Amino acid sequence: MNNFINEKLLPPILKFVNTKAITALRNGMLYTMPFTIVGSVFLLLANFPIPTISEWVAGSGLAVYFNEAFGASFAIMSIFAVMGIANSYVKEEGFEGLPAGMIALVVFLLTQHSSATNAETKAIVTNVIDKTWTGGQGMISAILVGLFVGWTYSWFLKRDIRIKLPEQVPTNVANSFTALIPAAVITVVSLIIYAIFDKVFNTTVVEAIYTVIQAPMQGVTDTFGGAMMLGFLVPFLWFFGVHGSTLVGGIMGPILQANSLQNTTILNSGKELTVANGGHIVTQQFLDQFMTITGAGMTIGMVMFMVTFARSAQFKQLGRLALLPAFFNINEPILFATPVVMNPLMALPFILAPMISGMITYFSLYTGLVPLFTAVQVPWTTPPIISGFLVGGWRAAVLQAVVLIIGFFIYLPFVRKVDALNYLQEQGESMDQIEKDLADETKGHVVLQTEDEEVGI
């Protein structure tokens, strides 16, 4: 089994995870995080989950200013993403990445029209950047443009196709001339593509990408099957030691954030945020606050058992050490010290807990028991219950409590078995006797990887 995992399963997964494109996507999207969090704060202030406060904010006129700050941060995250991805890609190739990020912004603006039609007067307004495409709806375009510019810019530099200046020229001046040829070629090609889409297809690149690629992806992600896929993939990858949270979040995060932003657009249009009005169920908050809360696999159930019911000294000590990090959604100590990673006995609850939580959360949102989430997001380290209240009010906080309690009972029989094994080892019983006792009790045979050797249970 271990040979199959190490020789057949892990190599292709790790090869995919470490490709330049995935690395650039993961690192590039991190540039959006500060603006996402800052924008979420202002959106939260404008739409506070306590009606009395939100009505006062709206009546005082402060909501207008809060929404303005949201529009200048979270609502233009595609701009941050396209620059960050191109910059990260070129850095992975060993070159200065900032010029590529700036070129990527130029190309991204060329994927859309620079004019808009006034809805009331029907007059055409020119020299504008349409924020419809700078937020969630333009995210897939931003990713594709960032990767395209990053790869193309690196191609030029690796082949030394650039203007070289004498060594005496200051570095910042030399770098600007280094980017001149790649910038000119990439911009001209992008302009030709813009013209073709405008004249031949009567649309823009960003609209075409949204219609053909992004909208179907959002639709698939927003299904019950999509939710279950997210709940399965994160712990499944973690089980093999691959950082599933980072990998899945890096790839699916843009789509989930686009779902959140569209929910906010529906709310701001004056409509009720419901599934019937086009609201999305599976959003970034769905993943962060209900399927990876307290860490991948929702492992706080294990921690609470260790703190309150564990018999083995190993688990008692580990529980005390892991309790505080778990409240801030950090569970690496549990994953590697229990261990959960590469431990077949813990695989089932580790994967099952987030999937059951996703199932309950999906139907709670679908039926309206809990309101759909807007673009309000909180830092991933925000403790449970508090994070639920901030993203969805008291009903979301209650739902968090419910799924965490259910998670505890999912883990209970499995972690109790591992604790019993540890306790017997600490009491000095021989491995043969432990194997015999536990085999008699379970009438089965499962291999558990311990620190010293494999033990049949």
Side-chain angles (χ1 to χ4, degrees):
M1 180 65 178
N2 285 338
N3 289 337
F4 170 76
I5 292 173
N6 293 327
E7 297 176 9
K8 301 293 184 181
L9 188 60
L10 277 182
I13 293 176
L14 293 175
K15 184 177 180 180
F16 174 74
V17 170
N18 293 317
T19 57
K20 289 186 175 67
I22 296 301
T23 302
L25 174 60
R26 182 174 65 243
N27 295 339
M29 288 302 298
L30 290 176
Y31 287 98
T32 69
M33 185 178 296
F35 308 102
T36 298
I37 294 173
V38 170
S40 293
V41 171
F42 286 106
L43 184 62
L44 176 64
L45 293 174
N47 303 273
F48 205 75
I50 298 177
T52 305
I53 297 177
S54 63
E55 290 170 6
W56 178 84
V57 170
S60 66
L62 291 174
V64 175
Y65 300 105
F66 293 151
N67 285 324
E68 189 71 17
F70 166 77
S73 51
F74 203 145
I76 60 170
M77 69 175 182
S78 289
I79 290 178
F80 304 127
V82 72
M83 297 181 70
I85 292 169
N87 175 60
S88 297
Y89 192 102
V90 174
K91 279 187 174 180
E92 285 293 313
E93 295 284 9
F95 303 107
E96 170 61 41
L98 182 58
M102 298 170 72
I103 297 170
L105 175 58
V106 173
V107 176
F108 181 63
L109 294 178
L110 279 173
T111 64
Q112 53 192 276
H113 288 311
S114 60
S115 61
T117 303
N118 188 292
E120 297 179 358
T121 64
K122 304 301 180 182
I124 297 178
V125 182
T126 59
N127 295 323
V128 300
I129 297 177
D130 190 350
K131 283 188 178 181
T132 301
W133 305 109
T134 61
Q137 286 188 217
M139 184 53 69
I140 296 300
S141 293
I143 292 172
L144 295 177
V145 168
L147 294 175
F148 164 73
V149 172
W151 179 85
T152 307
Y153 187 84
S154 300
W155 184 89
F156 276 91
L157 295 193
K158 285 192 290 186
R159 286 158 180 79
D160 213 22
I161 305 174
R162 51 182 165 175
I163 296 175
K164 297 181 180 179
L165 297 179
E167 294 182 0
Q168 294 80 2
V169 176
T171 304
N172 59 333
V173 177
N175 286 340
S176 63
F177 278 89
T178 296
L180 187 56
I181 293 177
V185 174
I186 293 171
T187 302
V188 169
V189 171
S190 301
L191 181 59
I192 293 172
I193 295 173
Y194 171 85
I196 292 173
F197 272 81
D198 184 47
K199 294 299 183 182
V200 178
F201 303 107
N202 195 31
T203 186
T204 61
V205 177
V206 68
E207 291 175 279
I209 291 174
Y210 177 78
T211 302
V212 176
I213 301 177
Q214 182 165 334
M217 288 180 66
Q218 286 185 240
V220 171
T221 304
D222 201 35
T223 62
F224 178 73
M228 293 298 97
M229 178 191 68
L230 290 174
F232 171 80
L233 282 177
V234 173
F236 176 76
L237 292 171
W238 259 118
F239 177 77
F240 297 106
V242 178
H243 203 301
S245 306
T246 299
L247 180 59
V248 174
I251 296 173
M252 299 305 300
I255 299 297
L256 299 178
Q257 289 184 348
N259 288 348
S260 301
L261 281 167
Q262 286 195 357
N263 283 357
T264 296
T265 301
I266 293 171
L267 197 62
N268 292 339
S269 69
K271 297 180 182 178
E272 186 179 1
L273 181 54
T274 62
V275 175
N277 286 335
H280 294 282
I281 295 174
V282 185
T283 61
Q284 189 68 47
Q285 300 92 325
F286 189 103
L287 176 64
D288 290 346
Q289 272 70 60
F290 293 92
M291 288 202 292
T292 59
I293 191 69
T294 73
M298 299 174 58
T299 52
I300 197 165
M302 295 179 60
V303 178
M304 297 309 297
F305 173 87
M306 293 175 182
V307 172
T308 55
F309 300 112
R311 299 175 64 198
S312 66
Q314 175 185 335
F315 268 17
K316 288 179 181 179
Q317 180 65 20
L318 179 59
R320 287 193 291 267
L321 293 174
L323 183 60
L324 184 60
F327 279 118
F328 292 95
N329 306 312
I330 299 169
N331 70 337
E332 279 80 357
I334 288 294
L335 297 183
F336 292 103
T338 303
V340 174
V341 173
M342 303 293 287
N343 183 346
L345 186 61
M346 297 306 302
L348 181 60
F350 186 57
I351 294 174
L352 189 61
M355 293 186 70
I356 294 296
S357 175
M359 184 185 305
I360 295 171
T361 303
Y362 188 93
F363 284 106
S364 297
L365 294 167
Y366 182 83
T367 57
L369 291 175
V370 175
L372 298 182
F373 305 122
T374 62
V376 174
Q377 295 184 27
V378 294
W380 65 272
T381 52
T382 305
I385 311 303
I386 296 175
S387 62
F389 175 77
L390 292 176
V391 302
W394 68 268
R395 286 183 287 178
V398 171
L399 178 60
Q400 267 190 338
V402 169
V403 297
L404 289 175
I405 291 172
I406 292 174
F408 171 82
F409 287 103
I410 291 174
Y411 275 105
L412 182 59
F414 298 90
V415 69
R416 177 183 287 164
K417 189 67 64 179
V418 179
D419 178 55
L421 173 62
N422 291 338
Y423 180 75
L424 291 174
Q425 287 181 296
E426 291 171 0
Q427 297 306 305
E429 290 201 23
S430 68
M431 299 306 299
D432 290 340
Q433 184 61 39
I434 293 173
E435 179 179 349
K436 181 178 182 303
D437 292 344
L438 293 178
D440 290 343
E441 181 181 342
T442 59
K443 302 298 183 183
H445 187 79
V446 179
V447 175
L448 170 62
Q449 186 75 34
T450 65
E451 294 182 357
D452 302 317
E453 55 185 303
E454 289 184 341
V455 181
I457 297 179

